[in-house]
Coordinates of all heavy atoms in Angstrom, one line a residue:
Y2 N -7.5 -24.7 -13.9 CA -7.3 -24.2 -12.5 C -8.6 -23.8 -11.8 O -8.5 -23.2 -10.8 CB -6.3 -23.1 -12.5 CG -4.9 -23.5 -12.9 CD1 -4.4 -23.4 -14.2 CD2 -4.1 -24.1 -11.9 CE1 -3.1 -23.8 -14.5 CE2 -2.8 -24.5 -12.3 CZ -2.3 -24.4 -13.5 OH -1.1 -24.8 -13.9
T3 N -9.7 -24.1 -12.3 CA -11.0 -23.8 -11.7 C -11.7 -25.1 -11.3 O -11.5 -26.1 -12.0 CB -11.9 -22.9 -12.5 OG1 -12.2 -23.6 -13.8 CG2 -11.2 -21.6 -12.9
S4 N -12.4 -25.1 -10.3 CA -13.2 -26.3 -9.8 C -12.3 -27.5 -9.7 O -12.7 -28.6 -10.0 CB -14.3 -26.6 -10.8 OG -15.2 -25.5 -11.0
R6 N -10.4 -30.4 -7.6 CA -10.6 -31.2 -6.4 C -9.4 -32.1 -6.3 O -8.8 -32.6 -7.3 CB -11.9 -32.0 -6.4 CG -13.1 -31.1 -6.4 CD -14.4 -31.9 -6.7 NE -14.3 -33.3 -6.2 CZ -15.1 -33.9 -5.3 NH1 -16.1 -33.2 -4.9 NH2 -14.9 -35.1 -5.0
T7 N -9.1 -32.5 -5.1 CA -8.0 -33.4 -4.9 C -8.2 -34.2 -3.6 O -9.1 -34.0 -2.8 CB -6.6 -32.7 -4.8 OG1 -5.6 -33.7 -4.9 CG2 -6.4 -31.9 -3.6
I9 N -5.7 -36.7 -0.5 CA -4.3 -37.0 0.0 C -4.2 -38.5 0.2 O -5.1 -39.1 0.9 CB -4.0 -36.2 1.2 CG1 -4.1 -34.7 0.9 CG2 -2.7 -36.6 1.8 CD1 -4.1 -33.8 2.2
G13 N 1.3 -44.8 4.5 CA 1.5 -46.0 5.5 C 0.5 -47.1 5.2 O 1.0 -48.3 5.2
N14 N -0.7 -46.8 4.8 CA -1.7 -47.9 4.6 C -2.4 -47.9 3.3 O -3.3 -48.7 3.0 CB -2.7 -47.9 5.8 CG -3.5 -46.7 5.8 OD1 -3.5 -45.8 4.9 ND2 -4.3 -46.5 6.9
Q22 N -12.1 -29.5 -2.2 CA -11.9 -28.4 -3.2 C -10.6 -27.7 -2.9 O -10.3 -27.4 -1.8 CB -13.1 -27.4 -3.1 CG -13.2 -26.4 -4.2 CD -13.6 -27.0 -5.5 OE1 -14.4 -28.0 -5.5 NE2 -13.2 -26.5 -6.6
V27 N -1.1 -24.0 -7.5 CA -0.9 -24.5 -8.9 C -0.9 -26.0 -8.9 O -0.5 -26.6 -8.0 CB 0.4 -23.9 -9.5 CG1 0.3 -22.4 -9.7 CG2 1.6 -24.3 -8.7
L33 N 1.7 -25.2 -17.1 CA 1.8 -23.8 -16.7 C 2.3 -23.6 -15.3 O 2.6 -22.5 -14.9 CB 0.5 -23.1 -16.9 CG 0.1 -22.8 -18.3 CD1 -1.3 -22.2 -18.4 CD2 1.0 -21.9 -19.0
S34 N 2.2 -24.6 -14.4 CA 2.5 -24.5 -13.0 C 3.8 -23.8 -12.7 O 3.9 -22.9 -11.9 CB 2.4 -25.8 -12.3 OG 1.1 -26.3 -12.4
P35 N 5.0 -24.2 -13.3 CA 6.2 -23.5 -12.9 C 6.2 -22.0 -13.2 O 6.7 -21.2 -12.5 CB 7.3 -24.2 -13.8 CG 6.7 -25.5 -14.1 CD 5.2 -25.3 -14.2
F38 N 3.8 -20.2 -10.8 CA 4.5 -20.2 -9.4 C 5.5 -19.1 -9.4 O 5.6 -18.3 -8.4 CB 5.1 -21.5 -9.1 CG 5.7 -21.6 -7.7 CD1 4.9 -21.7 -6.6 CD2 7.1 -21.5 -7.6 CE1 5.5 -21.8 -5.3 CE2 7.7 -21.5 -6.3 CZ 6.9 -21.7 -5.2
D43 N 7.6 -14.1 -7.4 CA 8.4 -12.9 -7.7 C 7.8 -11.7 -6.9 O 8.6 -11.0 -6.3 CB 8.5 -12.7 -9.2 CG 9.4 -11.5 -9.5 OD1 10.6 -11.7 -9.1 OD2 9.0 -10.5 -10.1
L45 N 6.0 -11.7 -4.2 CA 6.2 -11.8 -2.7 C 7.6 -11.6 -2.3 O 7.9 -10.9 -1.3 CB 5.7 -13.2 -2.3 CG 4.2 -13.5 -2.3 CD1 4.0 -15.0 -2.0 CD2 3.5 -12.6 -1.4
K50 N 12.0 -8.1 0.1 CA 13.2 -7.4 0.0 C 12.9 -5.9 0.2 O 13.7 -5.2 0.9 CB 13.8 -7.6 -1.4 CG 15.1 -6.8 -1.6 CD 15.6 -7.1 -3.0 CE 16.9 -6.2 -3.3 NZ 17.4 -6.4 -4.6
A52 N 10.7 -4.5 2.0 CA 10.4 -4.3 3.4 C 11.6 -4.2 4.3 O 11.6 -3.6 5.4 CB 9.5 -5.4 3.9
F54 N 13.3 -6.6 5.6 CA 13.4 -7.7 6.6 C 14.4 -8.7 6.1 O 14.7 -8.8 4.9 CB 12.1 -8.4 6.8 CG 11.0 -7.5 7.3 CD1 9.7 -7.8 7.0 CD2 11.3 -6.4 8.0 CE1 8.7 -7.0 7.5 CE2 10.3 -5.5 8.5 CZ 9.0 -5.8 8.2
A67 N 15.2 -19.4 -2.5 CA 14.1 -20.1 -3.2 C 14.5 -20.8 -4.4 O 15.3 -20.3 -5.2 CB 13.0 -19.0 -3.6
A76 N 16.6 -14.9 8.7 CA 16.6 -13.6 9.5 C 17.8 -13.8 10.5 O 18.1 -14.9 10.9 CB 15.3 -13.5 10.3
P77 N 18.4 -12.6 10.8 CA 19.6 -12.7 11.7 C 19.2 -13.1 13.2 O 20.1 -13.6 13.9 CB 20.2 -11.3 11.7 CG 19.1 -10.4 11.2 CD 18.2 -11.3 10.4

Side-chain angles (χ1 to χ4, degrees):
Y2 290 98
T3 60
S4 303
R6 293 171 32 123
T7 193
I9 299 170
N14 62 9
Q22 190 74 31
V27 294
L33 287 176
S34 296
F38 182 79
D43 186 59
L45 291 176
K50 180 180 177 182
F54 301 154

